[in-house]
Amino acid sequence: MSANMIRIALLGLVLVGLVHAAGIESFFPQGEVKGIRQVSVRFTDEMVPLGDPRLPEPFAIDCGAKGGGRWVDGRNWVYDFERDLPAGLRCAFTLKPGIKTLNGAALNAQSFQFSTGGPAILASDPEEGNEGIDENQIFVLGLDAPLKPESLKDRVWCVADGIAEKIPARLVGAKTRQTVLTHSRNFFSQYLEVLDRQGTRLFSLTLPGGTVEEKLMRHATRPD
């Protein structure tokens, strides 16, 4: 083999090594996550020219929360939600057909999903770690999303030091619930403080009149 042929072969190997498929290098978040406020995407190649006010959004978005996307630079795109996402949401981001890099390379169709999981406890009365709990204790729980009472069947229990078995729990009736919540203003203060930090107002926007505490209590104490 001549020297020229060897050089051509080596050049071919180098060129092959430089070829790659344009696409998405990273997408966050994915799977089940909590407290999400932003989606961030990094592409393998330059996608848009900087300084262009008409930069296109690369994704079709299916999500029950409002927000807006923007290009940080030629390869990085972010989508900011108006507030932290509550529980119970499922979001999908799918590349729009025909999306190309700045150099004209087509991207393969890709879709990414994440969910915010089921409701989580934000506040409780008594608080976790309280030692003054008796066998007939009533707990008040503030969640980060509404839930259907029937979904709690066989899913709620208590555990206690020295007792190996799960201690079953049950939902109280409407009359007992109203009495308990009427005397739970300290709990509501704690709950509202957490909601304020998250920028979330659960329930209160749909109930007219009264203070926020009263609105929350009216919702929580409505008949079964």
Side-chain angles (χ1 to χ4, degrees):
M1 182 180 293
S2 68
N4 286 339
M5 293 179 65
I6 293 175
R7 282 196 293 270
I8 292 173
L10 289 175
L11 180 59
L13 290 175
V14 172
L15 291 176
V16 169
L18 292 176
V19 173
H20 71 280
I24 294 175
E25 184 176 302
S26 64
F27 185 103
F28 177 83
Q30 296 184 67
E32 186 174 309
V33 289
K34 288 283 188 181
I36 290 299
R37 188 70 171 264
Q38 184 184 81
V39 171
S40 59
V41 185
R42 181 172 176 81
F43 291 83
T44 58
D45 297 70
E46 294 291 319
M47 298 295 298
V48 293
L50 294 180
D52 188 342
R54 299 164 298 174
L55 300 179
E57 286 199 358
F59 291 94
I61 301 168
D62 181 12
C63 187
K66 294 181 179 180
R70 56 188 171 87
W71 288 96
V72 179
D73 55 37
R75 294 176 60 186
N76 292 281
W77 181 83
V78 297
Y79 188 87
D80 295 302
F81 293 102
E82 292 182 354
R83 56 180 55 86
D84 290 350
L85 297 184
L89 280 182
R90 185 176 298 275
C91 300
F93 285 66
T94 304
L95 272 177
K96 294 179 179 178
I99 291 293
K100 296 182 179 180
T101 69
L102 199 56
N103 292 328
L107 275 66
N108 293 328
Q110 287 182 277
S111 183
F112 301 86
Q113 298 86 30
F114 64 90
S115 68
T116 55
I121 298 173
L122 299 180
S124 66
D125 183 22
E127 296 181 350
E128 185 177 357
N130 190 305
E131 296 181 356
I133 296 176
D134 62 42
E135 60 182 352
N136 295 313
Q137 183 68 52
I138 293 178
F139 295 88
V140 183
L141 305 178
L143 308 178
D144 64 352
L147 58 73
K148 296 180 179 179
E150 56 269 23
S151 69
L152 297 178
K153 184 178 180 181
D154 300 326
R155 294 184 178 180
V156 181
W157 62 84
C158 300
V159 293
D161 292 340
I163 301 179
E165 298 180 354
K166 296 176 181 178
I167 303 171
R170 62 180 177 82
L171 296 177
V172 300
K175 185 176 181 179
T176 301
R177 183 169 68 238
Q178 182 169 356
T179 300
V180 171
L181 294 181
T182 299
H183 296 85
S184 298
R185 291 192 174 274
N186 289 338
F187 161 78
F188 282 113
S189 295
Q190 176 192 6
Y191 185 33
L192 289 170
E193 183 179 339
V194 177
L195 294 180
D196 283 337
R197 287 201 301 267
Q198 293 189 346
T200 304
R201 285 292 193 187
L202 297 181
F203 317 129
S204 60
L205 295 178
T206 60
L207 297 170
T211 65
V212 175
E213 287 184 5
E214 289 171 344
K215 290 175 182 178
L216 283 166
M217 289 173 63
R218 288 176 190 169
H219 181 91
T221 58
R222 67 185 181 185
D224 290 329

